[in-house]
Amino acid sequence: MRVVTAGAHGKIARRLGRLLSQRGDTAVGIVRNPDHQADLESDGVQPVVLDLEQASVEELAEIVSGADAVVFAAGGGPDSGIARKDSVDRGAAVLLAEAAVAAGVRPYLLVSSIGVETVAGDAVPEDMDEVFVAYLRAKLAAEEHVLSREGLSPMVIRPGSLTDDPGTGRVRLEHTTDRGEVPRDDVAAVLLALLDDPKDGAVVELLSGDTPVAEAVAALP
């Protein structure tokens, strides 16, 4: 399997890259910063340097061509402002969708966030920071584009609060959950399971739970 991941130096993406490479798959990681290439290479991931805020669909499609699936795990980062929430969390996700369609790659896994539906329409939760509102709206817009784009087989994962605790291999994977936490290890494991057992059109929230990852993914419609 050849998998191309955008935002490949992120904490979830690096975990996924290691899982793919350890079992012999070809993991290709897109990064903006050339200094991150060595880290990916040490993970067994093939790095490609490309700024998704500046790249064209054609440039990205060339990288994506021949992949079995693409994964969007990029983000503007915790210190970025409202503008980059839109240009990365939404804009780059849309760019990857268009590049995947152009390259004929259907499976698209989008790492989103629990809570995106709280900002649907004109809703603004009380006491929520405006930058976080922009982040959730960017994620929601990315979801809407990917889910409605002809030529894709999209899957949207909305993790809860992320931790660096060791993964348990057991999760709660449902269309609607409560708020809670989930280790990044387990998010990466769910992504890997969805690559192996795709669920076209799935939109699910992900928390720590009691169900083994493979079983939880297999139970999705």
Side-chain angles (χ1 to χ4, degrees), residues 38 58 107:
E58 293 75 19

Side-chain angles (χ1 to χ4, degrees), residues 92-179:
V94 168
L95 181 72
L96 182 61
E98 297 307 306
V101 171
V105 179
R106 294 189 64 91
Y108 183 122
L109 272 68
L110 174 65
V111 180
S112 186
S113 174
I114 204 167
V116 293
E117 292 177 331
T118 63
V119 297
D122 296 325
V124 179
E126 290 184 17
D127 302 324
M128 185 177 285
D129 176 78
E130 64 175 358
V131 176
F132 191 61
V133 171
Y135 165 75
L136 291 178
R137 285 183 170 159
K139 285 294 188 187
L140 183 60
E143 287 187 13
E144 290 170 345
H145 182 89
V146 169
L147 290 166
S148 64
R149 184 65 169 92
E150 275 190 45
L152 291 180
S153 298
M155 294 165 277
V156 175
I157 305 301
R158 298 171 172 172
S161 298
L162 299 167
T163 75
D164 288 325
D165 295 336
T168 66
R170 294 179 176 271
V171 296
R172 182 179 174 189
L173 196 60
E174 301 173 4
H175 293 293
T176 303
T177 64
D178 305 316
R179 295 300 177 94

Side-chain angles (χ1 to χ4, degrees), residues 109 155 157 189-199 204 217 220:
L109 272 68
M155 294 165 277
I157 305 301
V190 168
L191 293 175
L192 185 70
L194 283 167
L195 288 169
D196 290 339
D197 185 10
K199 303 294 182 179
V204 289
V217 168
L220 295 175

Side-chain angles (χ1 to χ4, degrees), residues 74-92:
D79 298 324
S80 62
I82 290 174
R84 291 204 74 221
K85 300 305 182 193
D86 182 71
S87 63
V88 179
D89 293 277
R90 182 201 61 80

Side-chain angles (χ1 to χ4, degrees), residues 34-58:
D35 294 341
H36 292 162
Q37 292 181 91
D39 287 340
L40 295 193
E41 288 170 348
S42 71
D43 294 338
V45 175
Q46 300 175 8
V48 177
V49 177
L50 186 71
D51 186 347
L52 296 178
E53 291 176 275
Q54 304 296 328
S56 67
V57 170
E58 293 75 19

